[in-house]
mmCIF file of all heavy atoms in Angstrom:
data_model
loop_
_atom_site.group_PDB
_atom_site.id
_atom_site.type_symbol
_atom_site.label_atom_id
_atom_site.label_comp_id
_atom_site.label_asym_id
_atom_site.label_seq_id
_atom_site.Cartn_x
_atom_site.Cartn_y
_atom_site.Cartn_z
ATOM 1 N N ALA W 822 -34.013 57.323 -61.469
ATOM 2 C CA ALA W 822 -33.338 57.317 -62.770
ATOM 3 C C ALA W 822 -32.653 56.011 -63.037
ATOM 4 O O ALA W 822 -32.296 55.295 -62.115
ATOM 5 C CB ALA W 822 -32.314 58.509 -62.815
ATOM 6 N N ALA W 823 -32.510 55.713 -64.333
ATOM 7 C CA ALA W 823 -31.735 54.503 -64.688
ATOM 8 C C ALA W 823 -30.288 54.718 -64.212
ATOM 9 O O ALA W 823 -29.688 55.787 -64.342
ATOM 10 C CB ALA W 823 -31.748 54.319 -66.208
ATOM 11 N N GLN W 824 -29.767 53.653 -63.564
ATOM 12 C CA GLN W 824 -28.443 53.756 -62.988
ATOM 13 C C GLN W 824 -27.325 53.370 -63.978
ATOM 14 O O GLN W 824 -27.293 52.255 -64.451
ATOM 15 C CB GLN W 824 -28.341 52.873 -61.744
ATOM 16 C CG GLN W 824 -29.380 53.170 -60.653
ATOM 17 C CD GLN W 824 -29.263 54.628 -60.185
ATOM 18 O OE1 GLN W 824 -28.140 55.147 -60.053
ATOM 19 N NE2 GLN W 824 -30.393 55.251 -59.935
ATOM 20 N N PRO W 825 -26.428 54.328 -64.311
ATOM 21 C CA PRO W 825 -25.297 53.994 -65.159
ATOM 22 C C PRO W 825 -24.331 53.122 -64.385
ATOM 23 O O PRO W 825 -24.353 53.013 -63.148
ATOM 24 C CB PRO W 825 -24.672 55.354 -65.440
ATOM 25 C CG PRO W 825 -25.034 56.178 -64.285
ATOM 26 C CD PRO W 825 -26.379 55.712 -63.806
ATOM 27 N N PRO W 826 -23.404 52.449 -65.072
ATOM 28 C CA PRO W 826 -22.368 51.668 -64.400
ATOM 29 C C PRO W 826 -21.579 52.551 -63.435
ATOM 30 O O PRO W 826 -21.275 53.676 -63.724
ATOM 31 C CB PRO W 826 -21.503 51.151 -65.539
ATOM 32 C CG PRO W 826 -22.393 51.174 -66.743
ATOM 33 C CD PRO W 826 -23.277 52.358 -66.549
ATOM 34 N N LEU W 827 -21.247 51.974 -62.270
ATOM 35 C CA LEU W 827 -20.493 52.739 -61.280
ATOM 36 C C LEU W 827 -19.103 52.994 -61.813
ATOM 37 O O LEU W 827 -18.444 52.107 -62.356
ATOM 38 C CB LEU W 827 -20.417 51.982 -60.000
ATOM 39 C CG LEU W 827 -21.777 51.702 -59.254
ATOM 40 C CD1 LEU W 827 -21.512 50.941 -58.000
ATOM 41 C CD2 LEU W 827 -22.533 52.987 -59.013
ATOM 42 N N ALA W 828 -18.637 54.233 -61.636
ATOM 43 C CA ALA W 828 -17.297 54.611 -62.084
ATOM 44 C C ALA W 828 -16.472 55.038 -60.903
ATOM 45 O O ALA W 828 -17.000 55.568 -59.881
ATOM 46 C CB ALA W 828 -17.393 55.755 -63.076
ATOM 47 N N ASP W 829 -15.177 54.800 -60.968
ATOM 48 C CA ASP W 829 -14.279 55.209 -59.916
ATOM 49 C C ASP W 829 -14.279 56.732 -59.766
ATOM 50 O O ASP W 829 -14.339 57.456 -60.742
ATOM 51 C CB ASP W 829 -12.852 54.717 -60.181
ATOM 52 C CG ASP W 829 -12.749 53.217 -60.080
ATOM 53 O OD1 ASP W 829 -13.589 52.594 -59.390
ATOM 54 O OD2 ASP W 829 -11.818 52.653 -60.704
ATOM 55 N N PRO W 830 -14.208 57.242 -58.547
ATOM 56 C CA PRO W 830 -14.222 58.647 -58.315
ATOM 57 C C PRO W 830 -12.906 59.325 -58.849
ATOM 58 O O PRO W 830 -11.855 58.694 -58.875
ATOM 59 C CB PRO W 830 -14.326 58.806 -56.819
ATOM 60 C CG PRO W 830 -13.778 57.539 -56.266
ATOM 61 C CD PRO W 830 -14.118 56.458 -57.261
ATOM 62 N N SER W 831 -13.067 60.580 -59.280
ATOM 63 C CA SER W 831 -11.888 61.318 -59.800
ATOM 64 C C SER W 831 -11.133 62.039 -58.675
ATOM 65 O O SER W 831 -9.995 62.494 -58.885
ATOM 66 C CB SER W 831 -12.365 62.363 -60.786
ATOM 67 O OG SER W 831 -13.157 63.394 -60.182
ATOM 68 N N TRP W 832 -11.721 62.232 -57.504
ATOM 69 C CA TRP W 832 -11.123 62.966 -56.410
ATOM 70 C C TRP W 832 -10.783 64.402 -56.802
ATOM 71 O O TRP W 832 -9.823 64.992 -56.299
ATOM 72 C CB TRP W 832 -9.875 62.240 -55.846
ATOM 73 C CG TRP W 832 -10.186 60.979 -55.181
ATOM 74 C CD1 TRP W 832 -10.241 59.733 -55.717
ATOM 75 C CD2 TRP W 832 -10.562 60.800 -53.808
ATOM 76 N NE1 TRP W 832 -10.570 58.771 -54.813
ATOM 77 C CE2 TRP W 832 -10.781 59.391 -53.625
ATOM 78 C CE3 TRP W 832 -10.733 61.658 -52.719
ATOM 79 C CZ2 TRP W 832 -11.191 58.856 -52.378
ATOM 80 C CZ3 TRP W 832 -11.101 61.124 -51.516
ATOM 81 C CH2 TRP W 832 -11.329 59.765 -51.343
ATOM 82 N N ALA W 833 -11.601 64.982 -57.662
ATOM 83 C CA ALA W 833 -11.391 66.378 -58.092
ATOM 84 C C ALA W 833 -11.464 67.319 -56.939
ATOM 85 O O ALA W 833 -10.761 68.336 -56.898
ATOM 86 C CB ALA W 833 -12.399 66.720 -59.185
ATOM 87 N N GLY W 834 -12.339 67.053 -55.975
ATOM 88 C CA GLY W 834 -12.449 67.916 -54.810
ATOM 89 C C GLY W 834 -11.200 67.989 -54.014
ATOM 90 O O GLY W 834 -10.815 69.094 -53.524
ATOM 91 N N TRP W 835 -10.505 66.871 -53.834
ATOM 92 C CA TRP W 835 -9.255 66.892 -53.018
ATOM 93 C C TRP W 835 -8.218 67.773 -53.728
ATOM 94 O O TRP W 835 -7.514 68.538 -53.033
ATOM 95 C CB TRP W 835 -8.761 65.487 -52.863
ATOM 96 C CG TRP W 835 -7.620 65.392 -51.846
ATOM 97 C CD1 TRP W 835 -6.310 65.624 -52.038
ATOM 98 C CD2 TRP W 835 -7.780 65.096 -50.472
ATOM 99 N NE1 TRP W 835 -5.597 65.498 -50.887
ATOM 100 C CE2 TRP W 835 -6.496 65.150 -49.888
ATOM 101 C CE3 TRP W 835 -8.861 64.759 -49.614
ATOM 102 C CZ2 TRP W 835 -6.254 64.895 -48.515
ATOM 103 C CZ3 TRP W 835 -8.652 64.532 -48.294
ATOM 104 C CH2 TRP W 835 -7.341 64.584 -47.748
ATOM 105 N N ALA W 836 -8.117 67.631 -55.044
ATOM 106 C CA ALA W 836 -7.145 68.486 -55.760
ATOM 107 C C ALA W 836 -7.469 69.956 -55.610
ATOM 108 O O ALA W 836 -6.559 70.795 -55.454
ATOM 109 C CB ALA W 836 -7.145 68.079 -57.245
ATOM 110 N N ALA W 837 -8.773 70.267 -55.646
ATOM 111 C CA ALA W 837 -9.181 71.681 -55.484
ATOM 112 C C ALA W 837 -8.820 72.184 -54.121
ATOM 113 O O ALA W 837 -8.380 73.306 -53.943
ATOM 114 C CB ALA W 837 -10.683 71.812 -55.753
ATOM 115 N N VAL W 838 -8.984 71.358 -53.091
ATOM 116 C CA VAL W 838 -8.705 71.771 -51.726
ATOM 117 C C VAL W 838 -7.213 72.034 -51.567
ATOM 118 O O VAL W 838 -6.784 73.022 -50.927
ATOM 119 C CB VAL W 838 -9.180 70.690 -50.739
ATOM 120 C CG1 VAL W 838 -8.595 70.879 -49.368
ATOM 121 C CG2 VAL W 838 -10.689 70.667 -50.630
#
Side-chain angles (χ1 to χ4, degrees):
Q824 300 300 322
L827 298 180
D829 291 336
S831 67
W832 292 91
W835 191 276
V838 165

